[in-house]
Amino acid sequence: MTDSQALIKTLDFQLDIQSDNESLLYDATLEARSVYNQSIRLAKEGVDWNVIPDRVAEDASLVKNTIQRVVAKALGAMENYYEYDDYNKPSHTKDGTYPLRANYEEGYNLSLTDDGDVAFRISAKPYKHVKGVLDGDDAHLDILKTALESDAWTIGTAEALFRNGNAELHVNVTSSEGTVRDKENSRTVVGVDVNEDNVALTALSKGSVEDTVVIEFPDIKFKRHRYFTMRKRVQNAGKDSIHDTLEGREERFVRDRLHKVSRHIVEWSQQFEKPCIVFEDLKEMRDGLDYGCRMNRRLHRLPFRALQHYTSYKAAFAGIPTAWINPEYTSQCCPMCGHTERSNRHKKRFKCQSCSHQDHADRSASVNIAVKGIEEHQEWTVPALNSLPTVRTVRRQASGAVDAPTVTHDAVRGYQTDGVAGVSD
Ligand SMILES: [Zn+2]
């Protein structure tokens, strides 16, 4: 996301429509087309534009606010026609279907289900609703969920339409923040070290080390390993449909967790003055980890990138810029003396072979990431690092048996905190 751009996003989804409601939606988009064309015709006949919505509504079988939105769209096109297009005069009427435009909570509604899906309800015709769940890009689903849970963003108008025969919903979401601040104009830099089972955060400002926290999510790693084994077993037994079900379930679980963790990262960062969130640019795999077998590779791949992606997307909606730095040596370099050596790090322990500074290895990496973030993107200098705050951890409870998929997310919602202020679910 570039700087100083209004934070209005259009999120695109596919509609997974319940039972035989698809034809109802299709009919409504044909009706929307006739509302559109009727508006154009009336405008060309010289009818007062203010009375066109009511005139059109007399014949149309659509809910009122949808008629108003479609008429507005048609008259908008007429306006452009009068202003700019007087040499080439098209008919301006449309063929086929036309998007059903609707105001949020008038013509359509969205809600979170217990499974972590987003359910929709579109008023296709008066008293006739099309219902189901949204499918689509992870990041778009994620931002929509956040918008549903947070007052900082407003869900606006949407369009239900058919593209290549498939029903889609395009939802406009606006942030109350307006714009993303320039990343060079930050007072605090938050280094984010993403790992398979935690993220470590350290906030550095001009002149001081502000705070540091490690957010643990051991259940993601645990569940992914379990699902991997289970899928392998059913695959070997030739039960491909069960395999796919398990895969979908795992993805939903991980997505839901990463959604919450990324939200915490942004909320934690918001307590500081003018924050900039800095990630490692993980085009290459992390150094110092064993990616020997395929399973390892697969297990590591998803959380890194997805969590960065979700976090930067959410941060942008909160007006917070993000930046990327080169990941080289971030896990091996001593933040105290700069000595860099692979053996400085042993699993979760960092011990400098030169000055014997010791630390939580992931926190240490987050310090290095923040330092690089300052050096590469800020005008001010790195503060003295001689007294790093004690590492505090925030942990999500393990979620119990993976064989009992009926366990809802509520059962594992909420963090156990070890004396941490400023982080809440
Ligand atoms: Zn050292």
Side-chain angles (χ1 to χ4, degrees):
M1 197 160 294
T2 57
D3 303 315
S4 307
Q5 124 189 26
L7 289 177
I8 302 167
K9 266 259 179 210
T10 303
L11 309 173
D12 299 348
F13 304 99
Q14 285 82 51
L15 296 177
D16 187 355
I17 299 176
Q18 264 175 20
S19 61
D20 50 354
N21 273 177
E22 189 157 322
S23 61
L24 178 60
L25 186 63
Y26 190 80
D27 289 348
T29 57
L30 291 177
E31 188 75 17
R33 191 261 330 261
S34 96
V35 165
Y36 185 95
N37 289 348
Q38 179 71 353
S39 307
I40 298 281
R41 272 193 292 271
L42 291 173
K44 285 186 171 172
E45 285 169 16
V47 173
D48 181 352
W49 285 19
N50 291 319
V51 306
I52 288 180
D54 286 340
R55 282 280 295 276
V56 171
E58 288 166 17
D59 302 323
S61 172
L62 289 174
V63 298
K64 195 159 184 207
N65 97 77
T66 295
I67 294 171
Q68 288 167 345
R69 310 283 346 160
V70 174
V71 171
K73 196 83 173 172
L75 297 181
M78 285 299 287
E79 211 163 67
N80 286 338
Y81 165 68
Y82 287 133
E83 281 177 14
Y84 307 112
D85 199 12
D86 51 7
Y87 55 92
N88 177 21
K89 293 182 179 174
S91 77
H92 278 284
T93 51
K94 306 261 182 195
D95 296 323
T97 64
Y98 190 77
L100 207 61
R101 289 168 65 81
N103 292 336
Y104 185 54
E105 291 180 326
E106 289 182 319
Y108 80 106
N109 245 308
L110 301 170
S111 59
L112 284 172
T113 70
D114 291 341
D115 290 340
D117 286 325
V118 179
F120 65 86
R121 196 182 89 150
I122 300 165
S123 304
K125 303 251 173 141
Y127 309 108
K128 284 186 183 169
H129 306 297
V130 177
K131 296 179 194 172
V133 294
L134 300 179
D135 273 336
D137 181 69
D138 274 1
H140 283 196
L141 276 168
D142 190 58
I143 207 71
L144 188 62
K145 281 191 208 177
T146 311
L148 282 165
E149 292 167 344
S150 152
D151 294 337
W153 307 336
T154 311
I155 298 174
T157 55
E159 290 190 349
L161 53 102
F162 284 84
R163 191 148 67 180
N164 305 323
N166 298 314
E168 297 189 358
L169 189 70
H170 298 180
V171 182
N172 286 319
V173 180
T174 314
S175 167
S176 57
E177 284 296 324
T179 56
V180 180
R181 185 166 32 76
D182 286 345
K183 63 173 177 266
E184 290 79 11
N185 179 23
S186 301
R187 305 288 290 247
T188 314
V189 167
V190 177
V192 182
D193 181 56
V194 184
N195 300 286
E196 194 186 0
D197 52 3
N198 73 34
V199 288
L201 312 177
T202 295
L204 303 179
S205 65
K206 190 178 177 180
S208 74
V209 181
E210 295 289 339
D211 202 0
T212 192
V213 70
V214 175
I215 302 171
E216 295 180 336
F217 39 84
D219 53 340
I220 293 183
K221 180 179 177 180
F222 173 77
K223 274 238 185 184
R224 298 189 76 221
H225 278 265
R226 288 296 302 275
Y227 271 116
F228 184 87
T229 316
M230 284 162 66
R231 279 204 314 274
K232 206 85 198 161
R233 208 182 302 144
V234 296
Q235 198 170 29
N236 291 342
K239 294 173 182 166
D240 285 347
S241 65
I242 302 180
H243 175 273
D244 293 349
T245 307
L246 289 172
E247 196 163 68
R249 209 175 274 163
E250 176 189 339
E251 277 169 17
R252 274 219 300 272
F253 170 82
V254 173
R255 204 158 55 198
D256 185 67
R257 280 302 186 286
L258 295 183
H259 167 66
K260 294 193 168 82
V261 172
S262 60
R263 206 175 140 191
H264 276 231
I265 297 171
V266 173
E267 283 174 3
W268 191 82
S269 303
Q270 277 174 316
Q271 68 182 304
F272 305 109
E273 195 187 351
K274 289 187 170 182
C276 174
I277 299 176
V278 178
F279 302 105
E280 293 177 295
D281 189 353
L282 292 167
K283 291 214 174 66
E284 297 302 319
M285 280 295 177
R286 282 286 296 274
D287 47 274
L289 287 172
D290 175 21
Y291 295 107
C293 73
R294 262 188 73 227
M295 170 171 166
N296 236 349
R297 244 193 315 271
R298 207 196 144 275
L299 283 172
H300 283 91
R301 195 167 45 206
L302 187 135
F304 283 150
R305 297 254 182 98
L307 190 60
Q308 290 185 339
H309 194 38
Y310 289 8
T311 306
S312 82
Y313 214 86
K314 282 195 181 68
F317 269 82
I320 298 174
T322 44
W324 269 260
I325 53 99
N326 182 341
E328 204 174 17
Y329 306 126
T330 51
S331 65
Q332 299 167 15
C333 175
C334 173
M336 295 298 161
C337 71
H339 179 75
T340 299
E341 185 177 332
R342 187 172 280 258
S343 60
N344 278 353
R345 183 183 175 128
H346 184 67
K347 292 189 174 156
K348 294 289 182 195
R349 283 314 302 168
F350 183 94
K351 186 178 181 204
C352 180
Q353 304 301 309
S354 173
C355 75
S356 23
H357 164 69
Q358 293 194 46
D359 199 358
H360 184 297
D362 299 326
R363 188 275 282 276
S364 185
S366 73
V367 173
N368 288 329
I369 292 165
V371 166
K372 282 196 181 188
I374 296 169
E375 289 170 347
E376 291 181 25
H377 301 292
Q378 304 302 326
E379 301 280 309
W380 38 279
T381 53
V382 177
L385 300 171
N386 42 21
S387 64
L388 292 173
T390 316
V391 177
R392 297 179 297 176
T393 63
V394 184
R395 189 161 63 88
R396 188 176 286 284
Q397 272 177 297
S399 56
V402 74
D403 309 86
T406 48
V407 171
T408 68
H409 298 128
D410 288 331
V412 291
R413 190 161 285 161
Y415 278 87
Q416 293 180 326
T417 60
D418 306 332
V420 179
V423 178
S424 59
D425 202 14

